[in-house]
Amino acid sequence: MSGHGERRTMTARKGGPLRGEAEIPGDKSVSHRSLILGALAVGETRIEGLLEGQDVLDTAKAMRAFGAEVERTGPGSWLVRGVGVGGFAEPSDVIDCGNSGTGVRLIMGAMATSPVTATFTGDASLRSRPMGRVTEPLALFGARAVGRAGGRLPLTLVGARDPLPVEYRSPVPSAQVKSAVLLAGLNAPGITTLIEAEPTRDHTERMLRGFGAEVEAEVTEAGRVIRLVGQPELRPLSISVPRDPSSAAFPVCAALMTEGSDVLVPGIGLNPTRAGLYFTLREMGADLAFENEREEGGEPMADLRARFSPSMRGIETPPERAASMIDEFPILAALAACAEGKTVMRGVKELRVKESDRINAMARGLEAMGVRVEETEDSLTVHGMGPGGVPGGGMAAARLDHRIAMSFLCLGLAAKAPVSVDDASPIDTSFPNFVPLMRALGAALEG
Ligand code: S3P
């Protein structure tokens, strides 16, 4: 089974300041979509800056299994020769998506309206995550899924032979559900409509348009209504993947909480559906500047400069902001422990079904570091201890979750006593150069 390498414990301790420039790898969401849409186009799609983390490599392998040619031509440079919408071949073996919820859910959508059958699995984290949120709307197109209790992996999906277009209102604020429905809609005749109550990341819609599909989005009383015209011929594209704002969040927050730090993180994608953390940090009083703001490949982008911020205050993040910073709550929780006063994160129930139950994982880990927290089903409260005030000196369980591991390693750089994580190997799924990059900035990471 693919997934992570050897289990490895790591420890972070207070050292000098973090200083210098950090080259963040490509955006994970955009990387998955580049490979999948490239595989559904007719002809050669070229991708630059692809994230070469395990999650994305598993998606590349899956696209080969469905018949696309996927080739690495250099570091971050990839070529995909697609089979066209409806052209997927039947994989001859089980598709192993490792740790990736985005990978498996988008691929299930992409194959659901083709007459092929595939069985999906993943690591222990992915096998515990709910898939019904995707297989239910895919059933409306005519696909059939048989999985374990609660729709969990391993799961076999039988694609629809005569797919129907669908109108679906997503019950959860999830870009993965939205994307699975839109990708399935590609091979259904007529118009597929997806309605989301709250806007979630819109990379799929943007990229579908780039590949030549007709996609319209409209904000109505009911929410955001997205309409896709089915059975387009997708034209291959040249894609430059922006750097991942969710990965940038780690060196940025580490710099804000570590005395004397000054870190520049160039070329970060600041799509408004992803940028909630950065606005939150400014509200907290972080010394964070957006330099050289520009647009590249249709995505807003800037160089971020983060300096040690000793006077950050706790705040409340409102539920309507949760989707735009959903992956950043673990590092925000770590940072909040170093601010003055309490931080309340509201409307964050979706964190319970990520790579781990992130509310619980952060709450237990912070407690082990001497921080007071409160959780409800839908919220997390962290009582800040001020700059340099977190005791540390504990071991946090990473629970096969890259963002939990990175959050505690960042916290260890600012805590009084070292912070350990029991397994840092999941970091390779999204940010393979995290450890060398942080060390180059001056972080004392051991293990
Ligand atoms: C992602 C969507 C989010 C996010 C994940 C990436 C995507 O998940 O947490 O890391 O690329 O569509 P949900 O759609 O389940 O919120």
Side-chain angles (χ1 to χ4, degrees):
M1 173 151 315
S2 78
H4 314 117
E6 293 274 291
R7 200 183 155 85
R8 73 178 190 266
T9 302
M10 282 202 86
T11 299
R13 62 180 75 242
K14 205 171 187 160
L18 303 179
R19 286 181 174 266
E21 210 170 293
E23 297 254 314
I24 303 299
D27 190 283
K28 181 152 72 71
S29 295
V30 175
S31 294
H32 283 295
R33 287 159 173 80
S34 305
L35 292 169
I36 296 170
L37 285 176
L40 291 172
V42 179
E44 280 186 12
T45 285
R46 287 182 184 273
I47 311 169
E48 292 300 329
L50 189 86
L51 167 65
E52 294 176 335
Q54 190 58 47
D55 278 11
V56 176
L57 298 179
D58 286 335
T59 289
K61 200 165 151 210
M63 290 303 97
R64 286 190 194 110
F66 281 102
E69 279 179 49
V70 183
E71 204 185 307
R72 183 178 192 258
T73 53
S77 304
W78 290 65
L79 180 70
V80 184
R81 282 190 199 90
V83 294
V85 167
F88 270 0
E90 188 161 274
S92 58
D93 202 350
V94 172
I95 303 293
D96 184 349
C97 289
N99 190 248
S100 182
T102 306
V104 75
R105 292 184 177 126
L106 269 56
I107 295 167
M108 285 200 272
M111 67 141 282
T113 46
S114 293
V116 296
T117 295
T119 299
F120 296 89
T121 192
D123 72 2
S125 157
L126 193 58
R127 279 183 276 117
S128 73
R129 297 179 67 185
M131 294 298 148
R133 54 177 52 201
V134 168
T135 54
E136 278 160 29
L138 297 183
L140 304 175
F141 288 96
R144 277 183 300 124
V146 184
R148 291 192 304 129
R152 288 178 163 74
L153 302 180
L155 177 156
T156 296
L157 191 61
V158 182
R161 279 190 179 275
D162 299 302
L164 302 164
V166 159
E167 176 169 327
Y168 189 68
R169 185 181 170 83
S170 181
V172 281
S174 166
Q176 293 175 2
V177 172
K178 169 174 68 178
S179 302
V181 169
L182 293 176
L183 291 172
L186 278 176
N187 199 35
I191 293 176
T192 285
T193 306
L194 182 286
I195 304 152
E196 56 179 1
E198 293 162 39
T200 62
R201 66 191 69 196
D202 62 357
H203 305 298
T204 302
E205 298 93 299
R206 286 178 189 242
M207 203 181 282
L208 277 167
R209 285 190 200 105
F211 274 91
E214 269 181 69
V215 186
E216 276 172 17
E218 182 191 1
V219 179
T220 70
E221 293 257 294
R224 223 169 135 256
V225 180
I226 302 148
R227 291 187 191 87
L228 165 84
V229 179
Q231 299 182 325
E233 179 167 311
L234 298 182
R235 297 185 298 263
L237 205 60
S238 212
I239 300 172
S240 174
V241 179
R243 295 174 194 269
D244 198 323
S246 300
S247 297
F250 295 100
V252 163
C253 290
L256 297 176
M257 53 196 185
T258 307
E259 208 174 324
S261 298
D262 184 345
V263 168
L264 181 71
V265 191
I268 301 304
L270 285 179
N271 178 318
T273 60
R274 298 283 298 281
L277 173 77
Y278 296 102
F279 297 104
T280 301
L281 293 175
R282 281 184 156 182
E283 277 178 18
M284 293 175 82
D287 184 352
L288 175 68
F290 298 169
E291 298 176 357
N292 194 13
E293 287 184 59
R294 56 204 186 269
E295 219 176 81
E296 272 179 38
E299 296 271 354
M301 150 174 325
D303 305 338
L304 308 184
R305 180 176 291 280
R307 295 189 182 91
F308 174 54
S309 303
S311 50
M312 286 186 292
R313 302 166 303 277
I315 52 148
E316 254 191 64
T317 61
E320 61 276 13
R321 195 185 295 168
S324 69
M325 54 183 294
I326 196 67
D327 290 336
E328 284 67 76
F329 284 105
I331 186 62
L332 176 65
L335 181 95
C338 303
E340 298 285 358
K342 91 178 171 183
T343 293
V344 188
M345 300 162 232
R346 295 198 191 280
V348 294
K349 190 165 66 195
E350 276 293 300
L351 295 181
R352 298 218 179 260
V353 291
K354 295 296 178 190
E355 285 82 332
S356 68
D357 173 344
R358 287 182 172 161
I359 296 182
N360 193 273
M362 286 311 297
R364 298 295 82 74
L366 286 171
E367 279 169 354
M369 306 311 152
V371 180
R372 197 154 64 84
V373 298
E374 283 134 36
E375 57 174 302
T376 69
E377 185 51 27
D378 202 19
S379 75
L380 175 63
T381 299
V382 177
H383 294 268
M385 307 188 83
V390 173
M395 169 81 84
R399 305 192 193 180
L400 288 181
D401 189 331
H402 52 130
R403 299 198 205 282
I404 300 298
M406 289 187 278
S407 298
F408 281 105
L409 291 175
C410 290
L411 181 62
L413 305 176
K416 289 181 179 150
V419 167
S420 298
V421 295
D422 66 343
D423 183 14
S425 64
I427 293 173
D428 292 345
T429 61
S430 71
F431 198 164
N433 61 332
F434 171 77
V435 171
L437 178 148
M438 293 300 290
R439 282 185 179 145
L441 293 175
L445 297 179
E446 288 152 28

